[in-house]
Short mmCIF file of all heavy atoms in Angstrom, two decimals:
data_model
loop_
_atom_site.label_atom_id
_atom_site.label_comp_id
_atom_site.label_asym_id
_atom_site.label_seq_id
_atom_site.Cartn_x
_atom_site.Cartn_y
_atom_site.Cartn_z
N ASP C 77 -60.10 -13.85 18.68
CA ASP C 77 -60.89 -14.40 17.71
C ASP C 77 -62.33 -14.45 18.11
O ASP C 77 -62.75 -13.90 19.19
CB ASP C 77 -60.47 -15.87 17.24
CG ASP C 77 -60.51 -16.77 18.40
OD1 ASP C 77 -61.27 -16.59 19.38
OD2 ASP C 77 -59.80 -17.87 18.31
N GLU C 78 -63.26 -14.86 17.30
CA GLU C 78 -64.70 -14.73 17.54
C GLU C 78 -65.05 -15.57 18.78
O GLU C 78 -66.03 -15.29 19.47
CB GLU C 78 -65.56 -15.13 16.29
CG GLU C 78 -65.45 -14.02 15.24
CD GLU C 78 -66.06 -14.34 13.96
OE1 GLU C 78 -65.47 -15.26 13.25
OE2 GLU C 78 -67.08 -13.88 13.68
N SER C 79 -64.19 -16.70 19.04
CA SER C 79 -64.47 -17.42 20.25
C SER C 79 -63.99 -16.83 21.56
O SER C 79 -63.98 -17.35 22.60
CB SER C 79 -63.85 -18.86 20.17
OG SER C 79 -64.04 -19.30 18.81
N GLY C 80 -63.21 -15.67 21.36
CA GLY C 80 -62.67 -14.92 22.52
C GLY C 80 -61.37 -15.41 22.95
O GLY C 80 -60.79 -14.98 23.94
N ASN C 81 -60.70 -16.21 22.11
CA ASN C 81 -59.23 -16.57 22.38
C ASN C 81 -58.31 -15.52 21.91
O ASN C 81 -58.42 -14.94 20.83
CB ASN C 81 -58.93 -17.87 21.57
CG ASN C 81 -59.86 -18.95 22.04
OD1 ASN C 81 -60.20 -19.29 23.21
ND2 ASN C 81 -60.39 -19.62 20.99
N ARG C 82 -57.39 -15.22 22.89
CA ARG C 82 -56.26 -14.30 22.52
C ARG C 82 -55.30 -15.02 21.57
O ARG C 82 -54.54 -15.76 21.94
CB ARG C 82 -55.50 -13.83 23.75
CG ARG C 82 -56.28 -12.97 24.70
CD ARG C 82 -55.34 -12.09 25.49
NE ARG C 82 -56.10 -11.05 26.26
CZ ARG C 82 -55.60 -9.92 26.64
NH1 ARG C 82 -54.23 -9.65 26.46
NH2 ARG C 82 -56.24 -8.96 27.29
N ARG C 83 -55.33 -14.74 20.29
CA ARG C 83 -54.58 -15.38 19.24
C ARG C 83 -53.18 -14.73 19.16
O ARG C 83 -52.25 -15.38 18.76
CB ARG C 83 -55.25 -15.41 18.01
CG ARG C 83 -56.66 -16.04 17.95
CD ARG C 83 -56.47 -17.60 18.16
NE ARG C 83 -55.94 -18.21 17.03
CZ ARG C 83 -56.60 -18.76 16.02
NH1 ARG C 83 -57.92 -18.73 16.05
NH2 ARG C 83 -56.05 -19.31 15.05
N VAL C 84 -53.09 -13.39 19.48
CA VAL C 84 -51.77 -12.75 19.59
C VAL C 84 -51.92 -11.96 20.83
O VAL C 84 -52.89 -11.21 20.96
CB VAL C 84 -51.52 -11.88 18.29
CG1 VAL C 84 -50.12 -11.30 18.47
CG2 VAL C 84 -51.68 -12.63 17.03
N ASP C 85 -50.84 -11.99 21.68
CA ASP C 85 -51.00 -11.35 23.03
C ASP C 85 -49.70 -10.68 23.43
O ASP C 85 -48.73 -11.34 23.71
CB ASP C 85 -51.33 -12.37 24.03
CG ASP C 85 -51.74 -11.85 25.41
OD1 ASP C 85 -51.59 -10.64 25.60
OD2 ASP C 85 -52.19 -12.63 26.21
N PHE C 86 -49.78 -9.35 23.54
CA PHE C 86 -48.54 -8.55 23.91
C PHE C 86 -48.06 -9.01 25.24
O PHE C 86 -46.86 -8.87 25.42
CB PHE C 86 -49.10 -7.10 24.03
CG PHE C 86 -48.08 -6.15 24.68
CD1 PHE C 86 -46.98 -5.73 23.94
CD2 PHE C 86 -48.39 -5.68 25.92
CE1 PHE C 86 -46.14 -4.83 24.60
CE2 PHE C 86 -47.52 -4.64 26.62
CZ PHE C 86 -46.34 -4.34 25.87
N ARG C 87 -49.04 -9.46 26.15
CA ARG C 87 -48.55 -9.82 27.56
C ARG C 87 -47.59 -11.07 27.50
O ARG C 87 -46.78 -11.29 28.34
CB ARG C 87 -49.63 -10.14 28.33
CG ARG C 87 -50.43 -8.83 28.67
CD ARG C 87 -51.47 -9.08 29.64
NE ARG C 87 -52.50 -7.85 29.75
CZ ARG C 87 -53.52 -7.82 30.27
NH1 ARG C 87 -54.15 -8.90 30.92
NH2 ARG C 87 -54.20 -6.62 30.30
N GLU C 88 -47.74 -11.86 26.36
CA GLU C 88 -46.83 -13.04 26.20
C GLU C 88 -45.39 -12.63 25.80
O GLU C 88 -44.42 -13.23 26.19
CB GLU C 88 -47.46 -13.99 25.18
CG GLU C 88 -48.35 -15.05 25.75
CD GLU C 88 -48.83 -15.90 24.59
OE1 GLU C 88 -48.30 -15.92 23.51
OE2 GLU C 88 -49.87 -16.65 24.91
N ASN C 89 -45.43 -11.65 24.87
CA ASN C 89 -44.14 -11.20 24.34
C ASN C 89 -44.33 -9.76 23.72
O ASN C 89 -45.18 -9.64 22.91
CB ASN C 89 -43.67 -12.22 23.27
CG ASN C 89 -42.19 -11.89 22.72
OD1 ASN C 89 -41.81 -10.70 22.88
ND2 ASN C 89 -41.58 -12.85 22.28
N ASN C 90 -43.59 -8.86 24.23
CA ASN C 90 -43.92 -7.52 23.83
C ASN C 90 -43.49 -7.24 22.38
O ASN C 90 -43.74 -6.24 21.83
CB ASN C 90 -43.31 -6.45 24.77
CG ASN C 90 -41.86 -6.66 25.05
OD1 ASN C 90 -41.05 -7.05 24.15
ND2 ASN C 90 -41.35 -6.40 26.32
N LEU C 91 -42.82 -8.23 21.80
CA LEU C 91 -42.51 -7.97 20.29
C LEU C 91 -43.79 -8.18 19.42
O LEU C 91 -43.71 -7.77 18.25
CB LEU C 91 -41.53 -9.14 19.88
CG LEU C 91 -40.03 -9.04 20.38
CD1 LEU C 91 -39.21 -10.22 19.94
CD2 LEU C 91 -39.43 -7.69 19.78
N HIS C 92 -44.82 -8.67 20.01
CA HIS C 92 -46.03 -8.94 19.34
C HIS C 92 -46.63 -7.68 18.72
O HIS C 92 -47.33 -7.69 17.83
CB HIS C 92 -47.04 -9.70 20.12
CG HIS C 92 -46.77 -11.22 20.08
ND1 HIS C 92 -46.63 -11.86 18.98
CD2 HIS C 92 -46.83 -12.05 21.21
CE1 HIS C 92 -46.39 -13.19 19.28
NE2 HIS C 92 -46.55 -13.34 20.64
N VAL C 93 -46.38 -6.53 19.29
CA VAL C 93 -46.92 -5.29 18.87
C VAL C 93 -45.91 -4.44 18.17
O VAL C 93 -44.73 -4.26 18.56
CB VAL C 93 -47.65 -4.48 20.04
CG1 VAL C 93 -46.57 -3.85 20.98
CG2 VAL C 93 -48.48 -3.30 19.51
N VAL C 94 -46.27 -3.96 16.92
CA VAL C 94 -45.37 -3.09 16.19
C VAL C 94 -45.05 -1.86 16.99
O VAL C 94 -45.93 -1.24 17.67
CB VAL C 94 -45.99 -2.64 14.88
CG1 VAL C 94 -45.24 -1.47 14.25
CG2 VAL C 94 -46.06 -3.85 13.94
N GLY C 95 -43.73 -1.58 17.21
CA GLY C 95 -43.24 -0.39 17.98
C GLY C 95 -44.01 0.84 17.47
O GLY C 95 -43.91 1.09 16.29
N TYR C 96 -44.50 1.75 18.49
CA TYR C 96 -45.11 2.96 18.01
C TYR C 96 -46.43 2.67 17.35
O TYR C 96 -46.93 3.67 16.69
CB TYR C 96 -44.25 3.88 17.21
CG TYR C 96 -43.44 4.86 18.09
CD1 TYR C 96 -42.55 4.38 19.07
CD2 TYR C 96 -43.69 6.20 18.01
CE1 TYR C 96 -41.82 5.24 19.86
CE2 TYR C 96 -42.98 7.17 18.81
CZ TYR C 96 -42.10 6.53 19.72
OH TYR C 96 -41.43 7.51 20.56
N SER C 97 -47.05 1.61 17.64
CA SER C 97 -48.53 1.37 17.13
C SER C 97 -49.49 2.48 17.69
O SER C 97 -49.36 2.52 18.94
CB SER C 97 -48.94 0.00 17.48
OG SER C 97 -48.39 -0.98 16.55
N THR C 98 -50.23 3.11 16.88
CA THR C 98 -51.33 3.93 17.33
C THR C 98 -52.38 3.13 17.93
O THR C 98 -52.53 1.93 17.72
CB THR C 98 -51.87 4.68 16.11
OG1 THR C 98 -52.16 3.81 15.11
CG2 THR C 98 -50.84 5.76 15.69
N PRO C 99 -53.30 3.69 18.87
CA PRO C 99 -54.31 2.97 19.53
C PRO C 99 -55.27 2.40 18.53
O PRO C 99 -55.55 3.12 17.45
CB PRO C 99 -54.93 3.86 20.43
CG PRO C 99 -54.16 5.13 20.40
CD PRO C 99 -53.20 5.11 19.24
N VAL C 100 -55.84 1.23 18.76
CA VAL C 100 -56.94 0.71 17.95
C VAL C 100 -57.80 -0.20 18.80
O VAL C 100 -57.33 -0.77 19.78
CB VAL C 100 -56.29 -0.05 16.75
CG1 VAL C 100 -55.43 -1.15 17.20
CG2 VAL C 100 -57.45 -0.55 15.83
N ASP C 101 -59.07 -0.22 18.43
CA ASP C 101 -60.03 -1.09 19.19
C ASP C 101 -61.18 -1.27 18.28
O ASP C 101 -62.07 -0.46 18.08
CB ASP C 101 -60.47 -0.44 20.52
CG ASP C 101 -61.33 -1.42 21.29
OD1 ASP C 101 -61.78 -2.43 20.81
OD2 ASP C 101 -61.54 -1.21 22.43
N GLY C 102 -61.28 -2.50 17.67
CA GLY C 102 -62.39 -2.71 16.66
C GLY C 102 -62.37 -4.14 16.11
O GLY C 102 -61.46 -4.96 16.37
N TRP C 103 -63.31 -4.40 15.28
CA TRP C 103 -63.43 -5.73 14.68
C TRP C 103 -62.97 -5.59 13.15
O TRP C 103 -63.26 -4.57 12.49
CB TRP C 103 -64.94 -6.12 14.60
CG TRP C 103 -65.25 -6.60 16.05
CD1 TRP C 103 -65.77 -5.92 17.12
CD2 TRP C 103 -65.14 -7.95 16.56
NE1 TRP C 103 -66.04 -6.64 18.14
CE2 TRP C 103 -65.57 -7.91 17.81
CE3 TRP C 103 -64.63 -9.15 16.04
CZ2 TRP C 103 -65.57 -9.03 18.69
CZ3 TRP C 103 -64.73 -10.26 16.86
CH2 TRP C 103 -65.10 -10.22 18.19
N PHE C 104 -62.16 -6.54 12.82
CA PHE C 104 -61.67 -6.57 11.47
C PHE C 104 -61.78 -7.91 10.86
O PHE C 104 -61.81 -8.98 11.60
CB PHE C 104 -60.12 -6.33 11.57
CG PHE C 104 -59.72 -4.85 11.94
CD1 PHE C 104 -59.72 -4.51 13.36
CD2 PHE C 104 -59.41 -3.86 10.98
CE1 PHE C 104 -59.46 -3.26 13.68
CE2 PHE C 104 -59.01 -2.65 11.37
CZ PHE C 104 -59.09 -2.31 12.73
N THR C 105 -62.01 -7.92 9.45
CA THR C 105 -62.03 -9.25 8.86
C THR C 105 -60.55 -9.72 8.80
O THR C 105 -59.64 -8.98 8.88
CB THR C 105 -62.58 -9.16 7.44
OG1 THR C 105 -61.69 -8.36 6.67
CG2 THR C 105 -64.02 -8.57 7.49
N ARG C 106 -60.36 -10.96 8.45
CA ARG C 106 -59.12 -11.58 8.22
C ARG C 106 -58.36 -10.79 7.15
O ARG C 106 -57.10 -10.54 7.22
CB ARG C 106 -59.28 -13.04 7.81
CG ARG C 106 -57.99 -13.78 7.58
CD ARG C 106 -57.13 -13.99 8.75
NE ARG C 106 -55.81 -14.64 8.56
CZ ARG C 106 -54.80 -13.96 8.06
NH1 ARG C 106 -54.81 -12.66 7.81
NH2 ARG C 106 -53.69 -14.54 7.84
N GLU C 107 -59.11 -10.32 6.18
CA GLU C 107 -58.39 -9.66 5.07
C GLU C 107 -58.07 -8.33 5.44
O GLU C 107 -56.93 -7.82 5.06
CB GLU C 107 -59.43 -9.60 3.75
CG GLU C 107 -59.66 -10.83 3.12
CD GLU C 107 -60.48 -11.88 3.95
OE1 GLU C 107 -61.39 -11.34 4.72
OE2 GLU C 107 -60.31 -13.08 3.85
N GLU C 108 -58.92 -7.64 6.25
CA GLU C 108 -58.49 -6.30 6.76
C GLU C 108 -57.29 -6.35 7.64
O GLU C 108 -56.58 -5.40 7.67
CB GLU C 108 -59.73 -5.69 7.50
CG GLU C 108 -60.86 -5.28 6.48
CD GLU C 108 -62.10 -4.94 7.31
OE1 GLU C 108 -62.26 -5.48 8.49
OE2 GLU C 108 -62.96 -4.21 6.77
N LEU C 109 -57.19 -7.46 8.30
CA LEU C 109 -56.00 -7.70 9.25
C LEU C 109 -54.69 -7.83 8.52
O LEU C 109 -53.66 -7.39 8.94
CB LEU C 109 -56.42 -8.95 10.08
CG LEU C 109 -55.71 -8.98 11.48
CD1 LEU C 109 -56.01 -7.71 12.28
CD2 LEU C 109 -56.33 -10.17 12.22
N GLU C 110 -54.81 -8.47 7.40
CA GLU C 110 -53.63 -8.91 6.77
C GLU C 110 -52.54 -7.91 6.55
O GLU C 110 -51.40 -8.20 6.93
CB GLU C 110 -54.10 -9.39 5.25
CG GLU C 110 -52.88 -10.21 4.55
CD GLU C 110 -52.24 -11.32 5.34
OE1 GLU C 110 -52.91 -11.93 6.16
OE2 GLU C 110 -51.19 -11.73 4.95
N PRO C 111 -52.71 -6.71 6.11
CA PRO C 111 -51.66 -5.72 5.92
C PRO C 111 -50.99 -5.30 7.37
O PRO C 111 -49.95 -4.60 7.29
CB PRO C 111 -52.24 -4.61 5.20
CG PRO C 111 -53.67 -4.71 5.35
CD PRO C 111 -53.93 -6.11 5.58
N HIS C 112 -51.66 -5.59 8.39
CA HIS C 112 -51.21 -5.13 9.73
C HIS C 112 -50.36 -6.31 10.39
O HIS C 112 -50.01 -6.17 11.56
CB HIS C 112 -52.33 -4.77 10.54
CG HIS C 112 -52.90 -3.51 10.02
ND1 HIS C 112 -52.41 -2.33 10.35
CD2 HIS C 112 -54.06 -3.28 9.24
CE1 HIS C 112 -53.13 -1.31 9.65
NE2 HIS C 112 -54.16 -1.90 9.00
N LEU C 113 -50.15 -7.45 9.71
CA LEU C 113 -49.48 -8.61 10.27
C LEU C 113 -48.12 -8.78 9.74
O LEU C 113 -47.95 -8.55 8.56
CB LEU C 113 -50.29 -9.84 10.01
CG LEU C 113 -51.73 -9.95 10.67
CD1 LEU C 113 -52.28 -11.30 10.22
CD2 LEU C 113 -51.68 -9.71 12.12
N HIS C 114 -47.13 -9.15 10.58
CA HIS C 114 -45.79 -9.20 10.11
C HIS C 114 -45.31 -10.56 10.66
O HIS C 114 -45.34 -10.88 11.89
CB HIS C 114 -44.84 -8.08 10.69
CG HIS C 114 -45.44 -6.79 10.33
ND1 HIS C 114 -45.36 -6.20 9.05
CD2 HIS C 114 -46.12 -5.87 11.00
CE1 HIS C 114 -45.91 -5.07 9.00
NE2 HIS C 114 -46.49 -4.79 10.25
N SER C 115 -44.69 -11.41 9.79
CA SER C 115 -44.14 -12.68 10.27
C SER C 115 -42.98 -13.07 9.28
O SER C 115 -42.77 -12.36 8.29
CB SER C 115 -45.21 -13.81 10.26
OG SER C 115 -45.56 -13.96 8.89
N LEU C 116 -42.26 -14.09 9.62
CA LEU C 116 -41.02 -14.48 8.74
C LEU C 116 -41.29 -15.84 8.29
O LEU C 116 -41.03 -16.84 8.92
CB LEU C 116 -39.81 -14.45 9.67
CG LEU C 116 -39.43 -13.01 10.20
CD1 LEU C 116 -38.37 -13.20 11.28
CD2 LEU C 116 -39.01 -12.05 9.18
N PRO C 117 -41.68 -16.08 7.03
CA PRO C 117 -41.93 -17.37 6.43
C PRO C 117 -40.70 -18.23 6.56
O PRO C 117 -40.88 -19.53 6.80
CB PRO C 117 -42.26 -17.09 5.00
CG PRO C 117 -42.76 -15.71 4.98
CD PRO C 117 -41.99 -14.91 6.05
N ASP C 118 -39.47 -17.69 6.54
CA ASP C 118 -38.28 -18.55 6.57
C ASP C 118 -37.97 -18.87 8.09
O ASP C 118 -37.15 -19.90 8.22
CB ASP C 118 -37.07 -17.75 6.03
CG ASP C 118 -37.18 -17.59 4.49
OD1 ASP C 118 -38.07 -18.21 3.98
OD2 ASP C 118 -36.46 -16.84 3.97
N GLN C 119 -38.49 -18.25 8.95
CA GLN C 119 -38.25 -18.57 10.38
C GLN C 119 -39.64 -18.67 11.16
O GLN C 119 -40.01 -17.77 11.84
CB GLN C 119 -37.28 -17.50 11.11
CG GLN C 119 -35.87 -17.51 10.56
CD GLN C 119 -35.07 -16.37 11.15
OE1 GLN C 119 -35.41 -15.18 10.87
NE2 GLN C 119 -34.22 -16.72 12.04
N PRO C 120 -40.34 -19.75 10.75
CA PRO C 120 -41.76 -19.75 11.08
C PRO C 120 -42.03 -19.69 12.60
O PRO C 120 -43.19 -19.41 13.01
CB PRO C 120 -42.18 -21.00 10.50
CG PRO C 120 -41.04 -21.86 10.19
CD PRO C 120 -39.88 -20.99 10.03
N ASP C 121 -41.03 -19.99 13.39
CA ASP C 121 -41.32 -19.91 14.92
C ASP C 121 -40.90 -18.59 15.54
O ASP C 121 -41.01 -18.33 16.72
CB ASP C 121 -40.52 -21.07 15.56
CG ASP C 121 -41.11 -22.39 15.11
OD1 ASP C 121 -42.33 -22.44 15.19
OD2 ASP C 121 -40.30 -23.29 14.91
N ALA C 122 -40.26 -17.68 14.74
CA ALA C 122 -39.68 -16.49 15.37
C ALA C 122 -40.77 -15.38 15.09
O ALA C 122 -41.38 -15.22 14.12
CB ALA C 122 -38.38 -15.99 14.56
N VAL C 123 -40.85 -14.53 16.19
CA VAL C 123 -41.68 -13.33 16.16
C VAL C 123 -40.69 -12.15 15.73
O VAL C 123 -39.78 -11.94 16.36
CB VAL C 123 -42.30 -13.01 17.48
CG1 VAL C 123 -43.12 -11.70 17.47
CG2 VAL C 123 -43.11 -14.08 18.03
N PRO C 124 -40.89 -11.51 14.67
CA PRO C 124 -40.05 -10.42 14.28
C PRO C 124 -40.22 -9.16 15.05
O PRO C 124 -41.29 -8.99 15.69
CB PRO C 124 -40.42 -10.28 12.73
CG PRO C 124 -41.87 -10.62 12.62
CD PRO C 124 -42.12 -11.67 13.61
N PHE C 125 -39.22 -8.32 14.99
CA PHE C 125 -39.27 -7.03 15.63
C PHE C 125 -39.54 -5.92 14.61
O PHE C 125 -38.64 -5.82 13.67
CB PHE C 125 -37.93 -6.83 16.41
CG PHE C 125 -37.76 -5.40 16.91
CD1 PHE C 125 -38.81 -4.74 17.69
CD2 PHE C 125 -36.57 -4.84 16.73
CE1 PHE C 125 -38.54 -3.43 18.16
CE2 PHE C 125 -36.30 -3.49 17.25
CZ PHE C 125 -37.34 -2.81 17.95
N VAL C 126 -40.64 -5.27 14.68
CA VAL C 126 -41.05 -4.29 13.63
C VAL C 126 -41.44 -2.99 14.34
O VAL C 126 -42.02 -3.13 15.42
CB VAL C 126 -42.16 -4.82 12.72
CG1 VAL C 126 -42.53 -3.75 11.69
CG2 VAL C 126 -41.72 -6.15 12.10
N THR C 127 -40.98 -1.84 13.77
CA THR C 127 -41.41 -0.59 14.36
C THR C 127 -41.83 0.37 13.15
O THR C 127 -41.64 0.18 12.07
CB THR C 127 -40.21 0.14 15.09
OG1 THR C 127 -39.28 0.39 14.04
CG2 THR C 127 -39.60 -0.80 16.17
N SER C 128 -42.61 1.37 13.67
CA SER C 128 -42.99 2.44 12.74
C SER C 128 -42.91 3.69 13.53
O SER C 128 -43.95 4.37 13.80
CB SER C 128 -44.38 2.18 12.25
OG SER C 128 -44.86 3.21 11.32
N TYR C 129 -41.61 4.17 13.80
CA TYR C 129 -41.44 5.29 14.59
C TYR C 129 -41.89 6.63 14.05
O TYR C 129 -42.42 7.44 14.70
CB TYR C 129 -39.87 5.41 14.88
CG TYR C 129 -39.28 4.36 15.66
CD1 TYR C 129 -38.09 3.92 15.35
CD2 TYR C 129 -39.93 3.76 16.82
CE1 TYR C 129 -37.38 2.91 16.05
CE2 TYR C 129 -39.27 2.81 17.50
CZ TYR C 129 -37.98 2.36 17.13
OH TYR C 129 -37.43 1.43 17.86
N TYR C 130 -41.76 6.76 12.73
CA TYR C 130 -41.95 8.07 12.20
C TYR C 130 -43.13 8.22 11.15
O TYR C 130 -43.25 9.19 10.47
CB TYR C 130 -40.56 8.53 11.47
CG TYR C 130 -39.39 8.57 12.52
CD1 TYR C 130 -38.49 7.52 12.58
CD2 TYR C 130 -39.42 9.58 13.44
CE1 TYR C 130 -37.47 7.58 13.51
CE2 TYR C 130 -38.40 9.62 14.47
CZ TYR C 130 -37.51 8.66 14.32
OH TYR C 130 -36.50 8.63 15.43
N ALA C 131 -44.01 7.26 11.20
CA ALA C 131 -45.27 7.28 10.43
C ALA C 131 -46.25 6.63 11.21
O ALA C 131 -46.12 5.46 11.69
CB ALA C 131 -45.04 6.61 9.04
N PRO C 132 -47.45 7.21 11.50
CA PRO C 132 -48.47 6.74 12.26
C PRO C 132 -48.93 5.35 11.67
O PRO C 132 -49.34 5.36 10.37
CB PRO C 132 -49.56 7.73 12.34
CG PRO C 132 -49.05 8.88 11.61
CD PRO C 132 -47.78 8.48 10.86
#
Side-chain angles (χ1 to χ4, degrees):
Chain C
D77 63 20
E78 285 171 292
S79 317
N81 299 313
R82 290 203 171 206
R83 302 292 290 267
V84 183
D85 189 354
F86 169 75
R87 290 183 191 170
E88 270 179 14
N89 187 335
N90 56 38
L91 292 173
H92 278 313
V93 69
V94 165
Y96 265 64
S97 278
T98 48
V100 57
D101 184 350
W103 285 89
F104 293 79
T105 65
R106 180 67 185 80
E107 290 69 31
E108 288 166 340
L109 206 49
E110 188 59 19
H112 294 279
L113 299 182
H114 306 283
S115 65
L116 300 170
D118 290 346
Q119 292 175 290
D121 293 319
V123 180
F125 170 46
V126 179
T127 64
S128 182
Y129 294 142
Y130 299 104

